Amino acid sequence: MKKLNVVLVSLLTIIIFSFNSQAQYTKGQSDINLGIGFAAFGLNGNNTVPPISLSYDYGIKDNISLGGYFGYTASESDAGFYKAKFTYMIIGVRGAYHKEFVDGIDTYGGVLLGYNLASVDYDPSLPAGFPEPSVGGVAYSLFLGGRYHFTDNIGAFLELGYGISAINLGLTFKI
């Protein structure tokens, strides 16, 4: 946790003291976001894999992007007489509208449409005739975010909304 706090403070310091960015989202622009989440959805027990996400945005028009999203997390629980391993994954497409409200910060809001899959594995296994529980289905969401490039190609982002986590923070790369 201390390492995570050092990384967060370092990112905020870089963002505050860097003023040479351009936030306008343009047609043809591509960004890859790699994030870690806080406040994961759908898990019990102790996280074994923190909520991680990978998303891609491509500017199909000025201020409008379309892309993909993948998120994954896992945890486990020990109830004494059994152990359970939980996994949760989302894969989908997302679209966003970008508007610069603050100079140098690409703020955006959008929608995500995808598929989520949650599963549980028990040890020892459930008795014969009991299916291993897993669920999946259509996932949809609204999200809000902000992106700040502290160099021409590297930046930080923060997103709020339904995904693998309610809060997602990470690095963004223009490609």
Side-chain angles (χ1 to χ4, degrees):
M1 190 61 151
K2 288 183 181 181
K3 288 182 182 179
L4 181 59
N5 288 338
V6 170
V7 169
L8 293 176
V9 169
S10 298
L11 282 174
L12 289 174
T13 302
I14 291 169
I15 290 169
I16 290 169
F17 292 106
S18 301
F19 296 103
N20 64 343
S21 76
Q22 182 68 293
Q24 181 69 31
Y25 208 85
T26 60
K27 181 178 180 179
Q29 180 175 334
S30 290
D31 286 282
I32 294 179
N33 304 311
L34 179 60
I36 187 163
F38 305 91
F41 294 112
L43 290 181
N44 295 317
N46 300 316
N47 275 5
T48 56
V49 177
I52 55 173
S53 66
L54 178 66
S55 61
Y56 173 74
D57 294 316
Y58 178 76
I60 58 172
K61 293 179 120 183
D62 285 350
N63 298 325
I64 298 175
S65 66
L66 187 62
Y69 178 88
F70 173 78
Y72 179 83
T73 189
S75 70
E76 62 184 20
S77 178
D78 188 348
F81 56 93
Y82 75 91
K83 291 181 181 179
K85 292 182 180 180
F86 304 91
T87 60
Y88 184 50
M89 180 174 51
I90 298 175
I91 188 165
V93 295
R94 60 190 238 153
Y97 179 76
H98 301 257
K99 176 74 173 163
E100 185 177 342
F101 292 105
V102 177
D103 190 36
I105 298 176
D106 171 26
T107 49
Y108 53 91
V111 296
L112 173 116
L113 177 62
Y115 185 79
N116 67 11
L117 178 64
S119 66
V120 182
D121 291 319
Y122 290 102
D123 184 24
S125 295
L126 294 174
F130 286 87
E132 292 289 332
S134 66
V135 295
V138 174
Y140 52 90
S141 167
L142 298 176
F143 60 88
L144 295 173
R147 181 183 292 134
Y148 182 86
H149 285 90
F150 36 85
T151 72
D152 288 340
N153 297 319
I154 301 172
F157 79 96
L158 173 69
E159 284 185 2
L160 306 173
Y162 181 78
I164 203 65
S165 178
I167 303 168
N168 218 9
L169 176 67
L171 294 174
T172 185
F173 305 92
K174 271 188 192 176
I175 54 172

